[in-house]
Each structure stands twice: as C-alpha cells, then as structure tokens.
C-alpha cells in the first residue's frame, strides 16, 4: 500500500534526502543495478566489499556457507555455533572476545528481535568508518 506513495517521489530526490539525512554517518551510497545482480545477496555484499582495499568481512550466521564461501575476500571471519563459518561460537561470545574491526558485516544469525538487536549494536562497535552492515531475514 505504501509503495504507491514512494513511486511518486523521483529516485534522485530520495537519494538526495537520504544523503542529507545520513551525511554525518556515511558519505558513500552504493548504487546497485538490481537487474544485474538479480537481487542476489552475494552479489550485493560483493559490491560493497569491492569498495575497500583488503576488505575485512564478518558474517554472523553462516549456516551452510553458501554466502560465506562466495564472498571474494581473503581473511574473512564467519561465526556460526553449529555448522558454517570458521569460528564455531555464538555471536554474543564472539563479540565479547573480538579485537578486530570490519569494513563489511553481514548479519544472518538467530532470527529473533532481541538477538538481531544485539548483533547490530555489537557490529556497530567494530565497524570501521564508512563500513557497511547488511541484515537478512
């Protein structure tokens, strides 16, 4: 229902408004050609990682590693307590012990509000300036 209102606002005006509103947070907007990436989260995250030389990538909730293995970054960190990633632990424990900072963080862990909120708050603490956080589900 709300979408009909958004279509009336030109994309250029929306971008200008977002940039003005959030300019103190980030001075870069990633423009994604959605037809080219076919709404694929791996392509979307990869586009963000390419904005950084030697990108430091963190993925919370790797499950079967489909996304984690596909991200073309050396030295990436994947946290999952059960199956995927390269650190077998909960995200809460990971963030308690982590000393590293990251350029791109993808949060796809436990899909309940309280955990997602903690993951976002903890991610903001280790995100470098002009970094990106992506959430799924």
């Amino acid at each position: 229902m709300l979408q009909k209102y958004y279509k009336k606002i030109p994309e250029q005006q929306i971008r200008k408004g977002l940039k003005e509103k959030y300019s103190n947070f980030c001075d870069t907007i990633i423009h994604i050609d959605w037809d080219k990436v076919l709404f694929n989260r791996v392509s979307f995250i990869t586009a963000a990682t390419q904005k950084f030389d030697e990108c430091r990538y963190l993925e919370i909730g790797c499950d079967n590693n489909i996304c984690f293995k596909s991200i073309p970054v050396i030295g990436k960190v994947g946290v999952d307590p059960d199956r995927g990633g390269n650190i077998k632990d909960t995200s809460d424990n990971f963030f308690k012990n982590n000393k590293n900072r990251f350029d791109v963080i993808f949060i796809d862990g436990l899909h309940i509000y309280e955990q997602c909120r903690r993951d976002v708050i903890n991610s903001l603490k280790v995100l470098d300036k002009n970094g990106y956080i992506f959430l799924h589900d």
Side-chain angles (χ1 to χ4, degrees):
M1 175 109 180
L2 291 175
Q3 192 172 22
K4 68 180 181 181
Y5 298 109
Y6 292 124
K7 287 183 179 179
K8 294 179 183 177
I9 302 171
E11 182 179 343
Q12 187 176 28
Q13 184 179 346
I14 293 170
R15 289 185 176 282
K16 182 180 179 216
L18 288 173
K19 191 159 189 166
E20 288 172 1
K21 184 173 182 180
Y22 297 107
S23 64
N24 59 332
F25 294 109
C26 178
D27 61 1
T28 303
I29 294 176
I30 296 176
H31 179 70
I32 300 297
D33 182 348
W34 287 108
D35 292 328
K36 187 175 181 180
V37 299
L38 302 173
F39 295 90
N40 181 318
R41 67 178 165 232
V42 171
S43 297
F44 189 70
I45 294 167
T46 297
T49 63
Q50 292 173 352
K51 301 287 182 182
F52 302 94
D53 294 330
E54 299 181 28
C55 179
R56 294 160 297 161
Y57 175 73
L58 169 64
E59 185 170 317
I60 301 295
C62 301
D63 192 31
N64 55 13
N65 280 337
I66 289 174
C67 184
F68 184 67
K69 285 184 177 179
S70 301
I71 303 300
V73 172
I74 297 171
K76 56 192 167 188
V77 176
V79 179
D80 194 289
D82 296 319
R83 294 198 283 186
N86 51 16
I87 296 179
K88 300 287 185 241
D89 208 345
T90 65
S91 57
D92 289 334
N93 286 337
F94 168 77
F95 283 117
K96 280 183 210 171
N97 300 311
N98 175 58
K99 304 289 187 231
N100 298 315
R101 299 194 57 80
F102 299 94
D103 300 304
V104 176
I105 300 172
F106 177 45
I107 301 172
D108 190 18
L110 188 59
H111 298 174
I112 59 172
Y113 172 78
E114 294 81 8
Q115 186 62 52
C116 291
R117 182 177 186 274
R118 283 196 308 271
D119 287 343
V120 169
I121 290 168
N122 286 324
S123 292
L124 287 169
K125 293 175 186 175
V126 299
L127 185 69
D128 261 357
K129 182 178 180 181
N130 293 324
Y132 298 95
I133 297 177
F134 298 97
L135 295 109
H136 184 256
D137 296 335

